[in-house]
Amino acid sequence: INIIYHLSAQTSVYKARDELNIDLNANFYEGVQLLKSFKKTDAIFILAGSATQIGYSSGKVLNNTKSNPETFYDLHKTLLEMYLNQYIKEKWIKGCTLKLANVYGARLASQSADRGVLDKIFLKAKNNEEIQIFGGDFYRDYIHIEDVANAFLCASKNINKSNGKSYFIATGSSIKLKDAFSMIIKIASKKYSTNPSIVFRDMPENFYKQESRSVSYNIDKSIEDLHWRPSINFIDGINKT
């Protein structure tokens, strides 16, 4: 094995809070065991991090923004990133961390309720089900899964440049949630001849503050070091879903 792409066993911040030990094991301890297995080899370790490791933020977020996790999920991700970076400092392995923005386009049945929101809305619109929207006035930076997969490949191919660093994997621009949802519903409804009802709800009290973030991410270093750039715009990405 020459390259390890370490992804998340589960991605729900609320499940991580409710099942601390399970998430700690899945998103930290198992990663540490992998690192130990490939210690002092020629392996390359590409870690899937999360853009929300920086905690609550607003506006354009720079690539060198330090982690300040608000959730246990992001804390566990940050711990593994720190462990990986120490391995790299010791010259025991090469690797980097890709901090993913809001990924869409997968539509996996295993996704938790608070992840893959765009894909779930598309599916509900397709099935003519009621769609509940919480908040809606916030901005998100959405990146298609195919661009994410390409970023992982580019990170490993350019490891001499990316080694020991972290990068935001995003589009560099944002879209208001309400606008994103409206476009999805319009495309799905037209494609499947449905007319789903839409209900707007207030944000629940137990939601994390970072759910109300309005952000986009600076990807200049990602483009420069990884020789990568996003190629799928939002509308094309939804039509691929």
Side-chain angles (χ1 to χ4, degrees):
I1 298 176
N2 296 319
I3 304 171
I4 301 101
Y5 297 110
H6 187 278
L7 309 177
S8 297
Q10 79 85 23
T11 59
S12 169
V13 298
Y14 300 101
K15 185 175 181 180
R17 181 172 63 186
D18 294 338
E19 301 175 355
L20 277 177
N21 289 338
I22 293 175
D23 190 78
L24 182 62
N25 184 63
N27 283 322
F28 177 63
Y29 285 130
E30 290 181 1
V32 169
Q33 293 305 314
L34 269 176
L35 284 170
K36 289 180 179 179
S37 298
F38 291 96
K39 179 180 175 181
K40 295 183 179 180
T41 68
D42 293 327
I44 297 170
F45 195 101
I46 309 298
L47 173 62
S50 172
T52 52
Q53 286 176 232
I54 63 172
Y56 175 80
S57 56
S58 63
K60 179 73 79 170
V61 182
L62 300 178
N63 191 75
N64 61 357
T65 302
K66 293 183 179 180
S67 292
N68 184 28
E70 179 185 349
T71 73
F72 285 106
Y73 171 80
D74 293 303
L75 174 60
H76 298 160
K77 282 296 205 181
T78 301
L79 287 173
L80 185 55
E81 180 186 6
M82 294 173 66
Y83 215 92
L84 169 62
N85 287 341
Q86 187 61 37
Y87 262 62
I88 294 169
K89 290 176 184 177
E90 300 286 353
K91 294 182 169 45
W92 290 345
I93 204 167
K94 288 184 177 181
C96 68
T97 301
L98 303 185
K99 295 180 177 178
L100 311 183
N102 292 77
V103 182
Y104 73 102
R107 226 168 72 189
L108 300 175
S110 60
Q111 285 176 321
S112 299
D114 58 313
R115 295 292 185 171
V117 174
L118 296 191
D119 302 313
K120 288 180 172 65
I121 288 178
F122 187 95
L123 190 59
K124 284 182 176 292
K126 174 186 174 182
N127 295 333
N128 206 34
E129 299 175 4
E130 180 183 273
I131 296 171
Q132 296 187 31
I133 297 176
F134 295 90
D137 291 321
F138 312 119
Y139 287 78
R140 294 288 193 272
D141 191 328
Y142 290 106
I143 181 80
H144 194 271
I145 186 67
E146 290 182 15
D147 281 330
V148 172
N150 189 38
F152 275 86
L153 294 175
C154 289
S156 56
K157 288 179 181 177
N158 297 283
I159 193 61
N160 289 334
K161 187 76 173 179
S162 64
N163 189 43
K165 300 176 183 178
S166 68
Y167 302 92
F168 286 127
I169 301 302
T171 63
S173 60
S174 59
I175 182 171
K176 184 182 282 191
L177 292 179
K178 285 181 180 177
D179 295 338
F181 298 159
S182 295
M183 283 186 269
I184 293 169
I185 293 167
K186 182 178 179 180
I187 290 172
S189 299
K190 182 178 179 180
K191 187 174 182 179
Y192 297 104
S193 300
T194 59
N195 186 28
S197 59
I198 304 171
V199 179
F200 288 92
R201 306 284 191 191
D202 293 331
M203 297 288 283
E205 292 183 359
N206 66 339
F207 268 37
Y208 282 109
K209 183 181 179 181
Q210 67 184 31
E211 303 285 13
S212 62
R213 68 193 184 279
S214 287
V215 294
S216 62
Y217 301 94
N218 186 301
I219 59 171
D220 290 347
K221 289 298 292 181
S222 306
I223 293 171
E224 179 184 349
D225 290 1
L226 307 183
H227 299 279
W228 165 90
R229 68 172 62 242
S231 62
I232 301 173
N233 66 43
F234 188 75
I235 296 296
D236 289 342
I238 295 303
N239 280 314
K240 281 175 169 283
T241 300

